[in-house]
Amino acid sequence: MYHLGEVVIRRQKEKLIEIVRKFVNRGQPYIVMNFPSNKDPGHHASWLGLAMVLQEVTGRLPVLTGSTSQSIDEIKSTPGDAPIFICGCTDFGDAQTGRDDIRCRLMWKYPDRTIIQMPQAIHFANESFKEYAKRTIGRHRNFFCMTRDSQSFELAKANFDCDVEAGPDTAFGMEALKPFEADPLRILYVMQPLGEDDADIAKARAIVDGPVTNWVNGPNSLSRMRRSSVVKSALRHGFSRAEMMAQHREDVAARYVDYGVKILSGAQRIITNHLHGHILCLLLNKPHIAVAREGSNLHDFIGCKTGDSPLVEKATNSGELLAAMSRLPYEMGGTWYRSSKPMNLKPNIPAPDLIPQPSIV
């Protein structure tokens, strides 16, 4: 079956490789920080995609991996030419971290290191946090900031004295994914609790019924060290502790991604307000609707990065959601259809101009 997200995915992956090659070459040591501390498959998708892109470019595992609460001091023992990549799985300016944000801690601790924030959203909880970040970045002078939506890009350009570039979420480094075998399900809602960017779709849910998951509570067993990770690392790289931990974290991320993929696999259509719900749907070739308020970061990301795939429609309320449902393409017997007509698929898919089709509701 033709993958309706293939063009978008390939474009985003190529951009990620272009970004990474500015900072590392074949065989060069590097560091990856900000491993997800939660069980969100989307955050782990960002880590796994970044790990895969870095290994593709350098041909090696990182010399050190870590999270916000550990491994920062261990950087002192790594080669001086190893740049520090920060995974963009958490927002820059998050209210829960404030001055303890890993980006600021790394800049204060290592003023001579090249530090690259991989694409992420920027949203400061208050003005004092933003001013602190501005001073820290201005003092460091070797910090590179990548953003994944236009709102974050404009904020960074206006406030940060550093190189700022727009880029895709690193989850695209995984490329296309294959769904697992699963019982068919017409509609699945992948929804995080309502926040300031979210739209109320209660009326639509009363009409378009389906199970709801927030998908962020995978089993704790997925994060445990397994013998397979130790063996894999030993066979590839010997018994280096740093490379063994890098392999372990890559394997943990892959397990949580698989957990998310299993949740999505059986659904014919998905409704989500998660950015990574949208991204994993694209990677899985799943028609879906992204629901959020007008001008949200989610819709901004789709508008500038992924909106030319027919797999995604946007909605800001219940009425728009129901209308968008009827515009999604559907697959039958291995063929994609718009209305009752098969889609004329070519190597380069243009911006979507979908013909309304009967709703599956």
Side-chain angles (χ1 to χ4, degrees), residues 12-45:
Q12 308 308 322
K13 173 72 177 291
E14 289 171 353
K15 178 62 176 177
L16 286 171
I17 290 175
E18 176 189 328
I19 290 172
V20 166
R21 280 182 173 157
K22 294 178 182 179
F23 304 102
V24 284
N25 302 310
R26 196 76 177 170
Q28 183 177 349
Y30 62 93
I31 298 161
V32 190
M33 300 296 288
N34 205 26
F35 182 73
S37 60
N38 56 30
K39 297 179 281 187
D40 188 328
H43 289 185
H44 286 276

Side-chain angles (χ1 to χ4, degrees), residues 40 67 73 98 146 186 199 210 222 225 278 287 335 352:
D40 188 328
S67 65
D73 287 340
M146 310 290 171
R186 288 202 309 166
L222 299 182
M225 174 71 82
H278 159 61
T335 301

